[in-house]
Amino acid sequence: MQKQRQHSERGAVVVTGGGSGIGRTIAEQFARAGEAVIIFDYNKAAAEQVASDLKITGYRAAAFAGSVSDEADVSAAFALADTCFDGVKTLINNAGVSGNCPTIELSLAEWQRNIDVNLTGVFLCAREAGRRLIKAGRPGVIINMASMYGVVAAPNRIAYCGTKSGVVMMTKTLALEWASAGIRVNGIAPGYVHTALTQELIETGRLNAEALNHRTPLGRFGTPEEVADLAWFLASDQSRFITGQVVGVDGGWSANGYL
């Protein structure tokens, strides 16, 4: 069945952190469905590789290398969407950093890094998208990547849990503020997802896959494609009456009160 979007073909989907992992999979899915995508990633080589791979296969894509926590970079990324694809229609606020460290050992620099990327980055990109959509009088969609650890707590993750819970509340606030402009704002709260990074952590003994699978009611890690499917749904006309929601895709982790 052909996938349908909620408005015209004008405009691009900006995917932050689109150079790898979940972000890359989301960008690829939207591109395959006919959307123009901007790959916004701090890793220039990764962003350009994804955009190049998409363009070689006939899809519309452009790369922008920069930091979501830098106001000038964010403005420039959205200006690229204006230049190449007649503006923005959807923002996938996917870029983020994680951390696992006892609080008494957590450095101020690492705390600030989480604030800068996970909170300030989401704010700057959402504000830029909102400004442009409202000025153009164009409806749009913003999807913020939270985490199950923004909904339930975990030890040794104060910076990550704190910032991801902030993303949850930012999502709800923006949904209320921009609903009258036709901008829907929702969030996704993934659990453990199998990516190249999590595979590396498993292989080096920093993640215990067996224990995590046992703790997850569905008994496995999620896949990037499952997160991308949810992002597509939330950006589509099928979810046109959904805003201000944060949807978990965690295999039941956050609902599970048992160890």
Side-chain angles (χ1 to χ4, degrees), residues 5-7 12-31 35-41 68 74 77-78 81 88-96 117-118 121-130 133 140-146 164 167 171 183-190 224 227-236 239:
R5 289 307 304 274
Q6 74 278 21
H7 49 81
V13 179
V14 177
V15 184
T16 70
S20 62
I22 292 171
R24 175 171 185 154
T25 301
I26 291 173
E28 290 171 341
Q29 173 150 328
F30 276 75
E35 299 289 358
V37 295
I38 299 287
I39 312 300
F40 182 1
D41 200 287
V68 295
V74 170
F78 282 83
V88 61
K89 65 193 294 188
T90 300
L91 165 65
I92 311 293
N93 248 329
N94 170 75
V117 178
N118 294 351
V122 171
F123 159 68
L124 288 175
C125 291
R127 186 185 66 176
E128 192 68 26
L133 289 166
V141 173
I142 296 172
I143 299 172
N144 296 325
M145 199 64 67
K164 288 300 185 178
V167 171
T171 298
I183 301 171
R184 295 190 298 108
V185 187
N186 289 297
I188 296 175
V227 181
D229 285 343
L230 179 56
W232 175 265
F233 169 73
L234 291 173
S236 76
S239 64

Side-chain angles (χ1 to χ4, degrees), residues 141-185:
V141 173
I142 296 172
I143 299 172
N144 296 325
M145 199 64 67
S147 167
M148 68 182 186
Y149 285 142
V151 179
V152 296
N156 302 325
R157 291 176 174 84
I158 190 170
Y160 189 73
C161 289
T163 53
K164 288 300 185 178
S165 64
V167 171
V168 169
M169 194 52 63
M170 289 167 65
T171 298
K172 295 176 182 290
T173 301
L174 292 176
L176 297 178
E177 188 171 344
W178 292 342
S180 62
I183 301 171
R184 295 190 298 108
V185 187

